[in-house]
Amino acid sequence: MRKEAWRFLIGDRYGLTPDIFESSTTISREKYTEYLDERSLGGRDHPAQSPFQVIEADVPRTFGSSRLFQAECPLHESLTTLLQRYTAFSPDLGYVQGMSYPAALLTLHLEEYDAFTCFVSLLEDTFLRSLYSMNLKLIVVHLQVYDLLFENELPALFAHFKNEQVAPDQYLLGWLMTLFGKTVPLGVACRIMDNFAVEGEIFLYVTSLAIL
């Protein structure tokens, strides 16, 4: 049920084709081979800056308590490949820490091609892309929207946070960039994705207030 729902609700919003999928796969494999060659030769500067190294570190930590994405598990390779493929598809953004959580949810429930098209749809959308690209103008807008909802729905707690100088950027961005994956169990994260696919970012703001 979830597989069909996510394919329908998130789907392919950007007209991706199997050729684009294959091209991204080929480029990511070539880049990964170059990375491995440089690392084996003892090159330090390039690998240290490589998204492949960051992905290698992040994948086993993604939903770590579930152990689904540990090195010995089949989903480890699937998630790694999806993230590497996206860096080839969108080199201007590449891999940003936090991406592994929504990618993991898609990997868990969708076939390889569908996971890729849905991941692209999520990350090319203005909301998540503004977070991963650190678009400060849009991030300020997101924080302002959240603050308005916070003050309206939880005025006493809002005042307390203000008095204690707890700003939303201290906790909210991490929640949003991982779709709460570092904060809630895997099953709850799947439910959040369900509702995010239907309602959009407003559900993420509401979820943030519910956690408080």
Side-chain angles (χ1 to χ4, degrees), residues 15 31 66 80 86 95 107 144 155 158 166 170 178 182 192:
K31 294 291 185 181
S66 74
T80 299
Y86 182 76
Y95 175 73
T107 298
Q144 289 172 339
F158 177 82
V166 178
Q170 294 175 267
T178 61
K182 295 180 72 173
I192 290 172

Side-chain angles (χ1 to χ4, degrees), residues 1-201:
M1 181 67 176
R2 180 168 279 144
K3 174 181 177 179
E4 288 74 18
W6 287 4
R7 287 175 60 190
F8 176 74
L9 294 167
I10 303 171
D12 178 9
R13 304 172 188 170
Y14 293 91
L16 299 182
T17 65
D19 286 344
I20 294 174
F21 174 80
E22 292 300 332
S23 174
S24 298
T25 301
T26 300
I27 293 171
S28 67
R29 286 174 178 168
E30 291 173 351
K31 294 291 185 181
Y32 186 58
T33 299
E34 291 175 8
Y35 160 72
L36 292 178
D37 288 345
E38 289 213 23
R39 190 171 67 175
S40 67
L41 293 172
R44 296 182 178 180
D45 293 337
H46 175 70
Q49 300 171 359
S50 170
F52 297 112
Q53 187 176 46
V54 185
I55 290 170
E56 286 177 353
D58 280 358
V59 166
R61 297 190 293 228
T62 304
F63 295 109
S65 62
S66 74
R67 302 190 62 81
L68 289 172
F69 303 98
Q70 300 293 312
E72 67 275 9
C73 299
L75 288 176
H76 176 276
E77 182 176 355
S78 298
L79 177 55
T80 299
T81 301
L82 173 56
L83 295 170
Q84 291 177 350
R85 185 178 288 123
Y86 182 76
T87 65
F89 173 81
S90 183
D92 58 322
L93 181 60
Y95 175 73
V96 179
Q97 288 186 304
M99 286 182 180
S100 62
Y101 287 89
L105 298 178
L106 297 173
T107 298
L108 184 60
H109 292 284
L110 300 176
E111 300 298 328
E112 190 176 40
Y113 181 77
D114 291 328
F116 176 69
T117 58
C118 287
F119 193 56
V120 169
S121 292
L122 287 175
L123 268 61
E124 296 300 304
D125 183 74
T126 302
F127 182 75
L128 284 180
R129 192 172 187 85
S130 68
L131 298 174
Y132 293 128
S133 65
M134 284 293 147
N135 184 320
L136 295 182
K137 288 184 178 179
L138 290 178
I139 287 174
V140 167
V141 173
H142 302 327
L143 295 174
Q144 289 172 339
V145 171
Y146 170 77
D147 253 354
L148 289 172
L149 291 170
F150 189 4
E151 184 175 19
N152 184 67
E153 298 297 325
L154 300 169
L157 186 58
F158 177 82
H160 177 68
F161 272 41
K162 286 292 186 183
N163 289 335
E164 296 297 323
Q165 297 182 328
V166 178
D169 61 305
Q170 294 175 267
Y171 59 90
L172 183 65
L173 296 183
W175 288 352
L176 299 179
M177 291 174 72
T178 61
L179 297 184
F180 303 92
K182 295 180 72 173
T183 307
V184 302
L186 177 59
V188 177
C190 289
R191 295 296 299 273
I192 290 172
M193 177 71 94
D194 291 340
N195 287 276
F196 176 51
V198 175
E199 300 181 29
E201 59 263 31

